[in-house]
Amino acid sequence: MPLHLKTARLTLRPWTEADADDHRALAAERGDGMPSIEDNRRVIEAQVAAPALTGLALLVITRRDVGDFIGYCGLTVGRASVDEPEIAYELFRRVHGQGYATEAVSAVLDAAVTTGRKRLWATVGSWNAASLRVLEKLGFERDHVSANDRGELVWLTRSLP
């Protein structure tokens, strides 16, 4: 999977240590408190190592005009597999509703096609209507629902050309 992607408004790139504070702030928006510096460092190290291990990557999203970190998007094994990975993304609330998620996911879908994979997965909390709309707009279809410690989880799939 390419590790550098550009869209009209966004750059998607690999993680660096400099992203640690932004990632901590993004993770804190989930409502579970601020992750420790050490826990966050391990997350960043795992993201840096992932492409060499799996050929997949979650990439930092920055706005091209401002250069600020607004989230991440990419492919991961997640709850899926290397052959049929999961697309994942998370953006700061301050940039929700501006089409950035759709733009980033679309770029990652295009990159996924170049890997020869035939299908992707996504998992989204059933409460997250905005993410479900983004994925359905980009061709993902609901497959099934499961439960986890946070509630219902909707599983979606998308075939690739």
Side-chain angles (χ1 to χ4, degrees):
M1 158 176 186
L3 299 180
H4 295 273
L5 305 172
K6 287 193 177 186
T7 70
R9 301 182 298 162
L10 306 172
T11 298
L12 285 77
R13 61 161 176 80
W15 293 83
T16 68
E17 287 183 24
D19 299 316
D21 288 339
D22 289 321
H23 181 264
R24 284 183 76 214
L26 179 63
E29 281 195 351
R30 296 177 195 148
D32 299 327
M34 181 71 76
S36 73
I37 292 171
E38 188 55 40
D39 285 346
N40 196 66
R41 182 175 294 123
R42 281 192 291 272
V43 169
I44 299 288
E45 287 171 359
Q47 295 308 322
V48 169
L53 297 172
T54 65
L56 306 173
L58 294 177
L59 303 172
V60 169
I61 305 169
T62 61
R63 291 188 285 192
R64 291 177 69 182
D65 62 345
V66 182
D68 60 333
F69 176 113
I70 62 168
Y72 63 83
C73 182
L75 299 177
T76 183
V77 173
R79 296 175 182 98
S81 69
V82 171
D83 291 334
E84 291 187 356
E86 183 172 352
I87 195 161
Y89 57 94
E90 183 176 18
L91 283 78
F92 277 115
R93 288 184 193 129
R94 65 182 164 79
V95 299
H96 286 188
Q98 299 178 45
Y100 294 130
T102 301
E103 194 169 326
V105 170
S106 184
V108 170
L109 284 172
D110 291 345
V113 169
T114 69
T115 71
R117 288 184 169 80
K118 299 298 179 200
R119 183 165 74 162
L120 299 180
W121 288 89
T123 55
V124 179
S126 61
W127 55 267
N128 193 339
S131 281
L132 290 168
R133 275 193 308 275
V134 166
L135 292 166
E136 289 170 348
K137 181 182 349 179
L138 294 172
F140 282 82
E141 297 177 350
R142 292 174 189 235
D143 185 85
H144 66 279
V145 176
S146 66
N148 66 16
D149 59 342
R150 293 182 172 236
E152 282 190 346
L153 196 61
V154 179
W155 293 69
L156 304 99
T157 62
R158 183 177 190 275
S159 295
L160 300 175

